[in-house]
Amino acid sequence: MAGLKLTYDISSAEDDFTRAGEASGSVKKKLRQIGYNPEAIRKVSIAMYEGEINVAIHAGGGKAQVEIAPDAVTMVLIDHGPGIADVEKAMQEGWSTAPQEVRNLGFGAGMGLPNMKKYTDSMEIETEVGKGTTITMVVKA
Amino acid sequence: MIVRDVIDILEAEVVYEADLDAEILSACGSDMMSDVLAFVKDQSVLLTGLVNPQVVRTADMMDMHCIVFVRGKSPDQTIIDLAKERGITILKSRFRMFTACGRLYDAGLRGGCDI
C-alpha cells in the first residue's frame, strides 16, 4: 500500500551520540500529527529508537527508510557496518558485543534486538559479516 | 501522585519545569536505557544516574512526563533543551538511586508491572 515515505541519515555515535534517536523522534512526531493509533506509535518509536541506536553505535551510522501507510508502518534500517556474526545469539536477551564505552552510555545491555522483535509484528534481519545489516520491521496500525 | 509530589518526596530541585500537575502512574529506575524500553507500562517517571541526551529521548519514546537525575547529578544544556522541546520535566535529587526509589515506593508509587 502506498504511504508517506521518509528517509533519514543516522550519524555514527562516535561523531555525534547526541543526535542518535533524532530520526525516531521525528517519526513519532509525524505519526502523532497524522493521528495514528497511540499504541502503534509507541511500538514504532521504541523499535525504531533501539534500531537507530544500534546503527549509531555498532555500525558507524547508516540510513532509515520509513513508510507510513494507513494499515502499517514499515521501518527499514540499513547500515554498512560489521554485520551480525551470530543472529541467533544476538536475539537472546542480555547477549551483547557492545564495548564498555557503549554500556557507559546506557545501552549495550543486550536488549536492543529482543526489544525490537517484541514491539513489532514482523522483523527480518539480512546481515553479512563485513558487509552490513538491513533490518525490516513492520508495526500494524 | 503528581509531579509536584515527586518533587516534595525527593526534596528535588526543578531543573526544567514542564507540567508539574501531570499524573504519575508508576516509575522506573535504571541506568540502562534498553531496560527502561523493555517494559511498556505507562511509567511516568524515570529515575536515573545516567546523564546524557539519550535519557530524554528514552523518556520521550515511553511518553514519560518526568526525569529525575539522582545523586545530585546535573544535566547539561543539551539535555535541558531536548527536555524543553519534548515537554518533559527535569528534576535533580541529592538522594542515591536506591533511596530515591525507596522514598517513592514508600509513598505508594509502584513499578507498573508485577515483577
Side-chain angles (χ1 to χ4, degrees), chain A residues 8 15 24 34 38-39 46 57 71 75 84 86 91-92 94 106 108 110 114 131-132:
Chain A
Y8 301 91
D15 297 337
S24 317
I34 297 170
E39 198 49 43
I46 296 171
I57 64 181
D71 60 338
M75 298 158 272
I84 305 166
D86 191 332
M91 289 306 301
Q92 289 171 15
K131 291 266 174 76

Side-chain angles (χ1 to χ4, degrees), chain A residues 9 18 25 39 50 67 98 101 104 116 121:
Chain A
D9 283 321
T18 303
E39 198 49 43
E50 287 279 17
E67 187 175 352
E101 302 95 82
N104 292 347
M116 287 156 71
D121 291 294

Side-chain angles (χ1 to χ4, degrees), chain A residues 126-140:
Chain A
E126 284 169 59
T127 186
E128 200 180 329
V129 172
K131 291 266 174 76
T133 302
T134 296
I135 296 187
T136 306
M137 298 181 283
V138 178
V139 172
K140 290 181 188 157

